[in-house]
mmCIF file of all heavy atoms in Angstrom:
data_model
loop_
_atom_site.group_PDB
_atom_site.id
_atom_site.type_symbol
_atom_site.label_atom_id
_atom_site.label_comp_id
_atom_site.label_asym_id
_atom_site.label_seq_id
_atom_site.Cartn_x
_atom_site.Cartn_y
_atom_site.Cartn_z
ATOM 1 N N THR A 28 6.250 -6.955 -14.989
ATOM 2 C CA THR A 28 6.753 -5.712 -15.560
ATOM 3 C C THR A 28 6.290 -4.576 -14.740
ATOM 4 O O THR A 28 5.064 -4.362 -14.565
ATOM 5 C CB THR A 28 6.284 -5.607 -17.072
ATOM 6 O OG1 THR A 28 6.822 -6.741 -17.763
ATOM 7 C CG2 THR A 28 6.904 -4.344 -17.699
ATOM 8 N N LEU A 29 7.179 -3.737 -14.250
ATOM 9 C CA LEU A 29 6.850 -2.609 -13.407
ATOM 10 C C LEU A 29 6.981 -1.286 -14.183
ATOM 11 O O LEU A 29 7.981 -1.036 -14.775
ATOM 12 C CB LEU A 29 7.802 -2.541 -12.150
ATOM 13 C CG LEU A 29 7.502 -1.406 -11.235
ATOM 14 C CD1 LEU A 29 7.570 -1.885 -9.816
ATOM 15 C CD2 LEU A 29 8.367 -0.252 -11.381
ATOM 16 N N SER A 30 5.850 -0.591 -14.214
ATOM 17 C CA SER A 30 5.797 0.733 -14.854
ATOM 18 C C SER A 30 5.645 1.789 -13.801
ATOM 19 O O SER A 30 4.729 1.699 -12.962
ATOM 20 C CB SER A 30 4.608 0.773 -15.823
ATOM 21 O OG SER A 30 4.227 2.107 -16.056
ATOM 22 N N LEU A 31 6.537 2.807 -13.778
ATOM 23 C CA LEU A 31 6.385 3.845 -12.799
ATOM 24 C C LEU A 31 5.059 4.554 -12.948
ATOM 25 O O LEU A 31 4.342 4.746 -11.936
ATOM 26 C CB LEU A 31 7.609 4.863 -12.924
ATOM 27 C CG LEU A 31 7.437 6.001 -11.866
ATOM 28 C CD1 LEU A 31 7.685 5.548 -10.460
ATOM 29 C CD2 LEU A 31 8.416 7.112 -12.262
ATOM 30 N N LYS A 32 4.702 4.908 -14.132
ATOM 31 C CA LYS A 32 3.513 5.634 -14.401
ATOM 32 C C LYS A 32 2.274 4.869 -13.894
ATOM 33 O O LYS A 32 1.423 5.437 -13.244
ATOM 34 C CB LYS A 32 3.408 5.863 -15.951
ATOM 35 C CG LYS A 32 2.290 6.784 -16.374
ATOM 36 C CD LYS A 32 2.356 7.025 -17.858
ATOM 37 C CE LYS A 32 1.256 7.897 -18.390
ATOM 38 N NZ LYS A 32 1.381 8.137 -19.801
ATOM 39 N N GLN A 33 2.230 3.579 -14.163
ATOM 40 C CA GLN A 33 1.050 2.771 -13.709
ATOM 41 C C GLN A 33 1.055 2.666 -12.197
ATOM 42 O O GLN A 33 -0.005 2.743 -11.528
ATOM 43 C CB GLN A 33 1.130 1.323 -14.356
ATOM 44 C CG GLN A 33 0.906 1.305 -15.757
ATOM 45 C CD GLN A 33 -0.473 1.824 -16.155
ATOM 46 O OE1 GLN A 33 -0.650 3.022 -16.563
ATOM 47 N NE2 GLN A 33 -1.524 0.998 -16.054
ATOM 48 N N THR A 34 2.189 2.470 -11.594
ATOM 49 C CA THR A 34 2.260 2.359 -10.136
ATOM 50 C C THR A 34 1.921 3.604 -9.445
ATOM 51 O O THR A 34 1.267 3.592 -8.349
ATOM 52 C CB THR A 34 3.726 1.875 -9.700
ATOM 53 O OG1 THR A 34 4.068 0.679 -10.451
ATOM 54 C CG2 THR A 34 3.768 1.482 -8.234
ATOM 55 N N LEU A 35 2.242 4.792 -10.011
ATOM 56 C CA LEU A 35 1.880 6.041 -9.363
ATOM 57 C C LEU A 35 0.344 6.324 -9.360
ATOM 58 O O LEU A 35 -0.123 7.068 -8.553
ATOM 59 C CB LEU A 35 2.556 7.173 -10.137
ATOM 60 C CG LEU A 35 4.057 7.409 -9.799
ATOM 61 C CD1 LEU A 35 4.685 8.390 -10.784
ATOM 62 C CD2 LEU A 35 4.249 7.838 -8.365
ATOM 63 N N LYS A 36 -0.363 5.599 -10.274
ATOM 64 C CA LYS A 36 -1.838 5.770 -10.218
ATOM 65 C C LYS A 36 -2.433 5.237 -8.917
ATOM 66 O O LYS A 36 -3.571 5.658 -8.521
ATOM 67 C CB LYS A 36 -2.449 4.930 -11.380
ATOM 68 C CG LYS A 36 -2.165 5.608 -12.697
ATOM 69 C CD LYS A 36 -2.728 4.836 -13.855
ATOM 70 C CE LYS A 36 -2.464 5.514 -15.175
ATOM 71 N NZ LYS A 36 -2.995 4.798 -16.289
ATOM 72 N N LYS A 37 -1.676 4.446 -8.159
ATOM 73 C CA LYS A 37 -2.207 3.863 -6.942
ATOM 74 C C LYS A 37 -1.789 4.709 -5.685
ATOM 75 O O LYS A 37 -2.171 4.434 -4.584
ATOM 76 C CB LYS A 37 -1.670 2.465 -6.704
ATOM 77 C CG LYS A 37 -2.025 1.542 -7.805
ATOM 78 C CD LYS A 37 -1.298 0.145 -7.658
ATOM 79 C CE LYS A 37 -1.522 -0.678 -8.886
ATOM 80 N NZ LYS A 37 -0.487 -1.754 -9.022
ATOM 81 N N GLY A 38 -0.937 5.764 -5.929
ATOM 82 C CA GLY A 38 -0.495 6.607 -4.780
ATOM 83 C C GLY A 38 1.014 6.897 -4.898
ATOM 84 O O GLY A 38 1.645 6.472 -5.860
ATOM 85 N N PRO A 39 1.537 7.539 -3.896
ATOM 86 C CA PRO A 39 2.997 7.906 -3.881
ATOM 87 C C PRO A 39 3.860 6.614 -3.833
ATOM 88 O O PRO A 39 3.427 5.585 -3.364
ATOM 89 C CB PRO A 39 3.175 8.743 -2.681
ATOM 90 C CG PRO A 39 2.041 8.506 -1.749
ATOM 91 C CD PRO A 39 0.945 7.991 -2.634
ATOM 92 N N ILE A 40 5.116 6.834 -4.353
ATOM 93 C CA ILE A 40 6.080 5.697 -4.393
ATOM 94 C C ILE A 40 7.291 6.115 -3.634
ATOM 95 O O ILE A 40 7.814 7.212 -3.772
ATOM 96 C CB ILE A 40 6.431 5.320 -5.825
ATOM 97 C CG1 ILE A 40 5.190 4.752 -6.546
ATOM 98 C CG2 ILE A 40 7.551 4.316 -5.867
ATOM 99 C CD1 ILE A 40 5.447 4.399 -7.944
ATOM 100 N N VAL A 41 7.792 5.193 -2.831
ATOM 101 C CA VAL A 41 9.141 5.331 -2.258
ATOM 102 C C VAL A 41 10.006 4.448 -3.206
ATOM 103 O O VAL A 41 9.939 3.275 -3.209
ATOM 104 C CB VAL A 41 9.183 4.772 -0.792
ATOM 105 C CG1 VAL A 41 10.635 4.805 -0.312
ATOM 106 C CG2 VAL A 41 8.239 5.546 0.118
ATOM 107 N N LEU A 42 10.767 5.206 -4.025
ATOM 108 C CA LEU A 42 11.605 4.586 -4.948
ATOM 109 C C LEU A 42 13.063 4.622 -4.461
ATOM 110 O O LEU A 42 13.628 5.690 -4.329
ATOM 111 C CB LEU A 42 11.506 5.295 -6.335
ATOM 112 C CG LEU A 42 12.381 4.750 -7.498
ATOM 113 C CD1 LEU A 42 11.852 3.385 -7.931
ATOM 114 C CD2 LEU A 42 12.307 5.801 -8.648
ATOM 115 N N TYR A 43 13.597 3.475 -4.192
ATOM 116 C CA TYR A 43 14.976 3.507 -3.654
ATOM 117 C C TYR A 43 15.929 2.707 -4.524
ATOM 118 O O TYR A 43 15.615 1.626 -4.941
ATOM 119 C CB TYR A 43 15.066 3.072 -2.214
ATOM 120 C CG TYR A 43 15.106 1.618 -1.858
ATOM 121 C CD1 TYR A 43 16.357 1.026 -1.629
ATOM 122 C CD2 TYR A 43 13.945 0.867 -1.772
ATOM 123 C CE1 TYR A 43 16.381 -0.316 -1.280
ATOM 124 C CE2 TYR A 43 13.995 -0.497 -1.489
ATOM 125 C CZ TYR A 43 15.222 -1.069 -1.196
ATOM 126 O OH TYR A 43 15.295 -2.435 -0.869
ATOM 127 N N PHE A 44 17.052 3.355 -4.887
ATOM 128 C CA PHE A 44 18.059 2.769 -5.674
ATOM 129 C C PHE A 44 19.098 2.123 -4.703
ATOM 130 O O PHE A 44 19.473 2.837 -3.740
ATOM 131 C CB PHE A 44 18.702 3.759 -6.576
ATOM 132 C CG PHE A 44 17.853 4.181 -7.742
ATOM 133 C CD1 PHE A 44 16.914 5.148 -7.573
ATOM 134 C CD2 PHE A 44 17.906 3.578 -8.966
ATOM 135 C CE1 PHE A 44 16.063 5.609 -8.637
ATOM 136 C CE2 PHE A 44 17.130 3.948 -10.062
ATOM 137 C CZ PHE A 44 16.185 4.980 -9.851
ATOM 138 N N PHE A 45 19.619 0.962 -5.009
ATOM 139 C CA PHE A 45 20.630 0.389 -4.201
ATOM 140 C C PHE A 45 21.670 -0.293 -5.122
ATOM 141 O O PHE A 45 21.339 -0.748 -6.181
ATOM 142 C CB PHE A 45 20.007 -0.589 -3.171
ATOM 143 C CG PHE A 45 19.302 -1.783 -3.723
ATOM 144 C CD1 PHE A 45 19.871 -3.000 -3.796
ATOM 145 C CD2 PHE A 45 18.025 -1.645 -4.046
ATOM 146 C CE1 PHE A 45 19.225 -4.092 -4.235
ATOM 147 C CE2 PHE A 45 17.246 -2.747 -4.506
ATOM 148 C CZ PHE A 45 17.885 -3.958 -4.652
ATOM 149 N N PRO A 46 22.917 -0.378 -4.648
ATOM 150 C CA PRO A 46 24.006 -0.883 -5.558
ATOM 151 C C PRO A 46 23.800 -2.223 -6.048
ATOM 152 O O PRO A 46 23.840 -2.534 -7.255
ATOM 153 C CB PRO A 46 25.237 -0.730 -4.677
ATOM 154 C CG PRO A 46 24.914 0.391 -3.710
ATOM 155 C CD PRO A 46 23.456 0.142 -3.448
ATOM 156 N N ALA A 47 23.586 -3.301 -5.180
ATOM 157 C CA ALA A 47 23.490 -4.655 -5.658
ATOM 158 C C ALA A 47 22.804 -5.556 -4.655
ATOM 159 O O ALA A 47 23.026 -5.528 -3.473
ATOM 160 C CB ALA A 47 24.930 -5.190 -5.935
ATOM 161 N N ALA A 48 21.935 -6.407 -5.246
ATOM 162 C CA ALA A 48 21.240 -7.423 -4.399
ATOM 163 C C ALA A 48 22.199 -8.302 -3.706
ATOM 164 O O ALA A 48 23.226 -8.689 -4.305
ATOM 165 C CB ALA A 48 20.294 -8.222 -5.329
ATOM 166 N N PHE A 49 21.922 -8.646 -2.529
ATOM 167 C CA PHE A 49 22.722 -9.621 -1.710
ATOM 168 C C PHE A 49 24.100 -9.111 -1.191
ATOM 169 O O PHE A 49 24.910 -9.871 -0.855
ATOM 170 C CB PHE A 49 22.872 -10.978 -2.351
ATOM 171 C CG PHE A 49 21.538 -11.647 -2.524
ATOM 172 C CD1 PHE A 49 20.899 -11.781 -3.727
ATOM 173 C CD2 PHE A 49 20.923 -12.263 -1.412
ATOM 174 C CE1 PHE A 49 19.659 -12.409 -3.885
ATOM 175 C CE2 PHE A 49 19.714 -12.912 -1.574
ATOM 176 C CZ PHE A 49 19.112 -12.925 -2.784
ATOM 177 N N THR A 50 24.274 -7.791 -1.282
ATOM 178 C CA THR A 50 25.509 -7.215 -0.609
ATOM 179 C C THR A 50 25.052 -6.791 0.792
ATOM 180 O O THR A 50 23.844 -6.616 1.024
ATOM 181 C CB THR A 50 26.063 -6.047 -1.434
ATOM 182 O OG1 THR A 50 25.084 -5.032 -1.573
ATOM 183 C CG2 THR A 50 26.610 -6.560 -2.758
ATOM 184 N N THR A 51 26.010 -6.547 1.644
ATOM 185 C CA THR A 51 25.691 -6.397 3.081
ATOM 186 C C THR A 51 24.780 -5.166 3.323
ATOM 187 O O THR A 51 23.675 -5.342 3.896
ATOM 188 C CB THR A 51 26.995 -6.164 3.898
ATOM 189 O OG1 THR A 51 27.821 -7.367 3.657
ATOM 190 C CG2 THR A 51 26.729 -6.069 5.371
ATOM 191 N N GLY A 52 25.176 -4.009 2.846
ATOM 192 C CA GLY A 52 24.359 -2.816 3.092
ATOM 193 C C GLY A 52 23.012 -2.912 2.425
ATOM 194 O O GLY A 52 21.959 -2.464 2.989
ATOM 195 N N CYS A 53 22.970 -3.494 1.267
ATOM 196 C CA CYS A 53 21.730 -3.544 0.484
ATOM 197 C C CYS A 53 20.725 -4.543 1.137
ATOM 198 O O CYS A 53 19.506 -4.331 1.115
ATOM 199 C CB CYS A 53 21.925 -3.945 -0.957
ATOM 200 S SG CYS A 53 22.995 -2.721 -1.769
ATOM 201 N N THR A 54 21.279 -5.577 1.739
ATOM 202 C CA THR A 54 20.419 -6.557 2.467
ATOM 203 C C THR A 54 19.889 -5.880 3.683
ATOM 204 O O THR A 54 18.680 -6.046 4.063
ATOM 205 C CB THR A 54 21.226 -7.863 2.816
ATOM 206 O OG1 THR A 54 21.614 -8.419 1.605
ATOM 207 C CG2 THR A 54 20.494 -8.788 3.643
ATOM 208 N N ILE A 55 20.664 -5.145 4.456
ATOM 209 C CA ILE A 55 20.232 -4.444 5.622
ATOM 210 C C ILE A 55 19.095 -3.491 5.208
ATOM 211 O O ILE A 55 18.024 -3.417 5.873
ATOM 212 C CB ILE A 55 21.364 -3.663 6.300
ATOM 213 C CG1 ILE A 55 22.340 -4.631 6.960
ATOM 214 C CG2 ILE A 55 20.870 -2.665 7.337
ATOM 215 C CD1 ILE A 55 23.682 -4.016 7.394
ATOM 216 N N GLU A 56 19.274 -2.695 4.124
ATOM 217 C CA GLU A 56 18.312 -1.725 3.700
ATOM 218 C C GLU A 56 16.997 -2.484 3.254
ATOM 219 O O GLU A 56 15.928 -2.011 3.651
ATOM 220 C CB GLU A 56 18.816 -0.922 2.518
ATOM 221 C CG GLU A 56 17.936 0.215 2.103
ATOM 222 C CD GLU A 56 18.582 1.099 1.095
ATOM 223 O OE1 GLU A 56 19.397 0.629 0.271
ATOM 224 O OE2 GLU A 56 18.222 2.290 1.052
ATOM 225 N N ALA A 57 17.087 -3.572 2.572
ATOM 226 C CA ALA A 57 15.883 -4.350 2.246
ATOM 227 C C ALA A 57 15.127 -4.771 3.425
ATOM 228 O O ALA A 57 13.918 -4.661 3.442
ATOM 229 C CB ALA A 57 16.262 -5.486 1.364
ATOM 230 N N HIS A 58 15.878 -5.243 4.415
ATOM 231 C CA HIS A 58 15.185 -5.699 5.714
ATOM 232 C C HIS A 58 14.463 -4.535 6.328
ATOM 233 O O HIS A 58 13.333 -4.711 6.825
ATOM 234 C CB HIS A 58 16.211 -6.252 6.663
ATOM 235 C CG HIS A 58 16.739 -7.598 6.250
ATOM 236 N ND1 HIS A 58 17.749 -8.234 6.958
ATOM 237 C CD2 HIS A 58 16.537 -8.391 5.172
ATOM 238 C CE1 HIS A 58 18.096 -9.333 6.298
ATOM 239 N NE2 HIS A 58 17.326 -9.490 5.264
ATOM 240 N N LEU A 59 15.099 -3.349 6.394
ATOM 241 C CA LEU A 59 14.497 -2.181 7.018
ATOM 242 C C LEU A 59 13.258 -1.721 6.301
ATOM 243 O O LEU A 59 12.227 -1.394 6.842
ATOM 244 C CB LEU A 59 15.508 -1.045 7.135
ATOM 245 C CG LEU A 59 16.711 -1.290 8.098
ATOM 246 C CD1 LEU A 59 17.743 -0.202 7.904
ATOM 247 C CD2 LEU A 59 16.237 -1.386 9.546
ATOM 248 N N PHE A 60 13.333 -1.701 4.916
ATOM 249 C CA PHE A 60 12.176 -1.330 4.155
ATOM 250 C C PHE A 60 11.050 -2.425 4.291
ATOM 251 O O PHE A 60 9.891 -1.998 4.341
ATOM 252 C CB PHE A 60 12.528 -1.097 2.689
ATOM 253 C CG PHE A 60 12.867 0.336 2.353
ATOM 254 C CD1 PHE A 60 14.204 0.650 1.913
ATOM 255 C CD2 PHE A 60 11.969 1.394 2.552
ATOM 256 C CE1 PHE A 60 14.558 1.946 1.633
ATOM 257 C CE2 PHE A 60 12.329 2.691 2.260
ATOM 258 C CZ PHE A 60 13.611 3.000 1.771
#
């Protein structure tokens, strides 16, 4: 279970929204991140 509030206690977050797992652009973005 991921809580934004809890995760922010460890430092800044790069939060990225993407349309759908296993689609072409989203897979490329996941690889780059």
Side-chain angles (χ1 to χ4, degrees):
T28 302
L29 184 134
S30 155
L31 179 69
K32 189 176 179 180
Q33 292 299 98
T34 307
L35 282 171
K36 289 179 180 179
K37 300 172 191 164
I40 294 179
V41 175
L42 179 68
Y43 84 96
F44 288 86
F45 62 99
F49 295 105
T50 57
T51 305
C53 299
T54 296
I55 290 167
E56 188 174 29
H58 290 174
L59 293 170
F60 270 117

